[in-house]
Amino acid sequence: MATVFFLISIYLFFSAEISQSLQSNITKGSTLFTNSTPNFWLSPSGHFAFGFYPSGNGFKVGTWLIGRPRNTVVWTALRDEPALLPGVSLVFTTDGRLLVLNFTAVQLIAQTNQKAQVAAMHDSGNFLLYGSNMEVVWATFRFPTNTLLVTQELGPEKILYSSKSDTDDSAGDFKLWMQGDGNLVAYQSKSLQLVKYSYWSSQSKSNTRGVSLTFAADSRLYLVNSTGFSIRNLTGGTLPVNKTTLYRATFDVDGVLRLYQHQMGADGSLNSIVLWSAINREDRCSVKGACGLNSYCDNNGADNIACLCPPGFDFADPNQPNKGCKLNSSVDNDCFMKGANDDYMISTLENTIWERDEYEVLTPVSEEACSKACLEDCYCVVAMFKDQVCFKPKLPLRNGIKNSSSPSTSFVKVRITNTKNIITKKLGKELLITGVVLIAFSLVILASSGYLIYTHQIWSLKVMTSQDCPPDVLRDINLTSFSYDQLAVATNDFMEEIGKGASGKVYKGSVPENGGKEIAVKRLEKLGCYGAGELKKVVGEVEVNLEELEKMVKIGLWCVQTEIDLRPTMKQVILMMDGTIVTPPPPPPPNSAANN
């Protein structure tokens, strides 16, 4: 009996010693600051650290594998929260809580049902909180983000989310879900968990509940049920595991699960290689969402896939081709007019296809008939042809892929006169405004010049007549101006017509102030404006729209009215030119004169 007690005591002693050697304990009240040195808690081997790491212009709390040329983050707290500002602190409080003091705010890192007594950074990369009986009350391994380390597992209904980018550990575009039916399945983050939206699966056939993805100590990734029975191996395992050879399984930024091996150098270097990938390099375009909406993915054997826009589309963000494409033109109402197809052409993309979500299917048809059907359909932008079936997908296009082994053809309708129409419309409006302004300006200059010439001639005549002519002769040759009312009195309200000219009728009258001398007065039918007949004489044989020309002349005459208040605004000019408002006849000039 004493021997048994002695053996148990030795076992407990060495177990405690081994446990202490595998982890670095952190006592309550310990605090890290973003600007402290160090600002992390290190594992005994020095391979892993927990604390603050740089992220953008601030910091995040997490666990990372230390190495050169750069550290590898394997877990992140408060993943989708903004980066922490410099000066905040990470505290393992005296009452057993792990939290961030962010100036005026408190952010809890570990949600626990009981207070922790001690924290520890383990050589496995696991950061743990222990209770009073050294039971684990919280651990980073229980809440994986995008990475699994050796001995860690992804439990039933748990999800790994890819990072947004290599420098941003926020949740990204893809998720790896350990489904309740025993299948490990990859989806786009914002898609429904339906088979048609998945792009990779472990293809487990057991339909067993309670299945987990486990990362064994021998580096083997496998699926195991709740009784510990292995359902399916993803990797072979049996790889060497020691203090200088470490492994991690990461659901990467591009939505692919990969197994990495890290060889730790004596100088702190970290040599990393990919041992296994769920999706082969040549099949990376099969990842749904690898390229954004309205684009397609081309894997031409290069290190990186290429996201491309079909004809008639431009990148939504030229600096981020994977964010998708947008139409560089829109279907105008004239598409529905007769002969509108002349403004479009069909561009062909071989071996390129998008996810099926069509509004119309034609079968059986030829390639030529499929292309023509899209060209004649105002709602069609892309048509896909395969096996004598023509699909017309809705916009936006999703999950496009170019695959040389796929015997399919896509037809893209492209507007060929879009640029021309835009330029024509823009220039037309600009030329309209410019033309109106030039006409008005020319008329103003013409009127001003005529006025100057007229006043100069009158002045010269006055000088000449005052010097060379007697007063009675001067009175006879001097031109007299009459107002409209004076002329109406002189002609007895235009009573007696004695003739008719091209622009109006001639009436007989007399001037009492001049001894009853008889005069002839011509009354213009369209004062201040040409009629259609006169304009026809002006333009001669030139083909013009006489109504438009008459309207422009009227607008020009409005623009040179002597009274500024009568002149139209530029907005009114444009509306009159467009025909939006009617152009009224301009008023007769004030003090219209006749010669006696």
Side-chain angles (χ1 to χ4, degrees), residues 65-376:
L65 176 63
I66 298 175
R68 291 199 303 266
R70 68 186 185 92
N71 298 329
T72 303
V73 177
V74 296
W75 185 84
T76 303
L78 306 172
R79 189 176 186 188
D80 294 321
E81 294 294 326
L84 300 168
L85 297 175
V88 304
S89 59
L90 175 63
V91 183
F92 181 35
T93 64
T94 55
D95 61 356
R97 295 180 300 158
L98 183 65
L99 49 83
V100 169
L101 293 179
N102 191 1
F103 301 110
T104 59
V106 175
Q107 294 174 288
L108 197 61
I109 299 295
Q111 298 281 354
T112 61
N113 294 326
Q114 62 185 94
K115 303 302 182 183
Q117 299 300 317
V118 65
M121 182 67 240
H122 201 277
D123 263 339
S124 64
N126 192 12
F127 187 84
L128 309 100
L129 298 180
Y130 294 99
S132 56
N133 295 321
M134 294 304 292
E135 73 279 16
V136 177
V137 297
W138 184 87
T140 56
F141 271 23
R142 294 179 180 177
F143 307 95
T145 51
N146 68 334
T147 296
L148 296 180
L149 297 174
V150 172
T151 71
Q152 191 174 3
E153 68 176 27
L154 184 69
E157 303 293 350
K158 297 293 184 180
I159 301 175
L160 294 181
Y161 286 93
S162 65
S163 292
K164 188 168 289 186
S165 71
D166 291 332
T167 57
D168 186 350
D169 295 310
S170 302
D173 297 328
F174 308 98
K175 60 186 175 185
L176 185 66
W177 189 10
M178 187 65 253
Q179 295 185 167
D181 62 1
N183 263 304
L184 183 67
V185 187
Y187 301 91
Q188 286 181 259
S189 293
K190 297 180 180 179
S191 70
L192 297 174
Q193 278 64 57
L194 300 177
V195 173
K196 70 175 184 177
Y197 296 123
S198 66
Y199 60 85
W200 179 86
S201 170
S202 62
Q203 298 182 345
S204 304
K205 299 179 181 180
S206 63
N207 196 24
T208 304
R209 299 290 172 177
V211 175
S212 299
L213 171 65
T214 300
F215 200 177
D218 64 350
S219 74
R220 180 169 56 106
L221 275 173
Y222 66 101
L223 299 177
V224 60
N225 64 16
S226 56
T227 63
F229 180 76
S230 179
I231 295 175
R232 187 170 188 270
N233 288 336
L234 298 183
T235 64
T238 67
L239 298 173
V241 179
N242 51 54
K243 291 184 178 180
T244 60
T245 305
L246 304 175
Y247 301 90
R248 67 178 169 94
T250 297
F251 190 50
D252 281 326
V253 172
D254 60 357
V256 179
L257 178 65
R258 294 183 178 89
L259 174 63
Y260 291 87
Q261 181 188 70
H262 299 285
Q263 194 68 41
M264 311 298 294
D267 59 350
S269 61
L270 189 65
N271 183 29
S272 305
I273 60 172
V274 177
L275 297 178
W276 172 84
S277 179
I279 296 176
N280 295 328
R281 175 175 167 179
E282 61 271 18
D283 297 324
R284 285 176 299 169
C285 280
S286 65
V287 176
K288 293 184 177 180
C291 295
L293 299 175
N294 294 324
S295 65
Y296 65 94
C297 179
D298 184 11
N299 186 3
N300 54 12
D303 290 337
N304 295 312
I305 60 174
C307 293
L308 305 173
C309 291
F313 290 76
D314 296 324
F315 286 117
D317 183 351
N319 297 322
Q320 301 184 77
N322 64 321
K323 296 302 181 183
C325 306
K326 60 182 178 180
L327 273 170
N328 58 22
S329 64
S330 59
V331 178
D332 293 336
N333 292 331
D334 60 5
C335 174
F336 298 91
M337 298 172 60
K338 185 177 180 181
N341 291 337
D342 296 339
D343 292 340
Y344 297 89
M345 62 172 286
I346 291 293
S347 182
T348 303
L349 289 174
E350 297 293 343
N351 305 319
T352 304
I353 199 165
W354 282 268
E355 181 180 284
R356 283 188 54 188
D357 184 20
E358 60 274 357
Y359 68 89
E360 187 175 40
V361 178
L362 306 176
T363 184
V365 294
S366 64
E367 279 196 27
E368 182 180 357
C370 184
S371 173
K372 183 180 179 182
C374 185
L375 182 62
E376 295 176 349

Side-chain angles (χ1 to χ4, degrees), residues 577-589:
M577 293 294 292
D578 288 342
T580 304
I581 60 176
V582 178
T583 306

Side-chain angles (χ1 to χ4, degrees), residues 441-571:
F441 181 74
S442 300
L443 290 173
V444 170
I445 294 297
L446 181 62
S448 301
S449 301
Y451 175 75
L452 290 175
I453 294 172
Y454 171 76
T455 53
H456 180 268
Q457 290 178 341
I458 294 299
W459 180 80
S460 300
L461 182 61
K462 286 183 178 180
V463 172
M464 181 187 69
T465 54
S466 62
Q467 294 176 352
D468 303 330
C469 297
D472 55 339
V473 176
L474 181 61
R475 183 176 59 253
D476 290 337
I477 66 173
N478 190 27
L479 296 177
T480 305
S481 296
F482 298 91
S483 68
Y484 180 83
D485 293 337
Q486 288 176 316
L487 293 176
V489 172
T491 58
N492 196 18
D493 203 14
F494 303 99
M495 177 68 71
E496 184 178 351
E497 180 181 336
I498 60 175
K500 186 175 183 180
S503 57
K505 298 177 181 179
V506 181
Y507 297 90
K508 179 180 179 180
S510 63
V511 183
E513 292 85 353
N514 199 16
K517 185 177 181 180
E518 293 185 348
I519 59 173
V521 179
K522 187 173 185 179
R523 183 179 183 183
L524 299 179
E525 293 181 352
K526 289 194 174 182
L527 200 57
C529 182
Y530 283 107
E534 287 75 16
L535 289 175
K536 183 64 178 177
K537 295 177 183 178
V538 173
V539 298
E541 299 299 324
V542 180
E543 291 293 330
V544 295
N545 188 324
L546 292 177
E547 290 184 2
E548 288 296 317
L549 181 57
E550 182 179 357
K551 179 169 64 176
M552 292 178 68
V553 172
K554 286 181 180 180
I555 294 172
L557 291 173
W558 272 109
C559 292
V560 295
Q561 290 294 313
T562 55
E563 295 186 30
I564 298 178
D565 293 339
L566 293 178
R567 297 175 187 173
T569 64
M570 184 54 67
K571 181 179 180 180

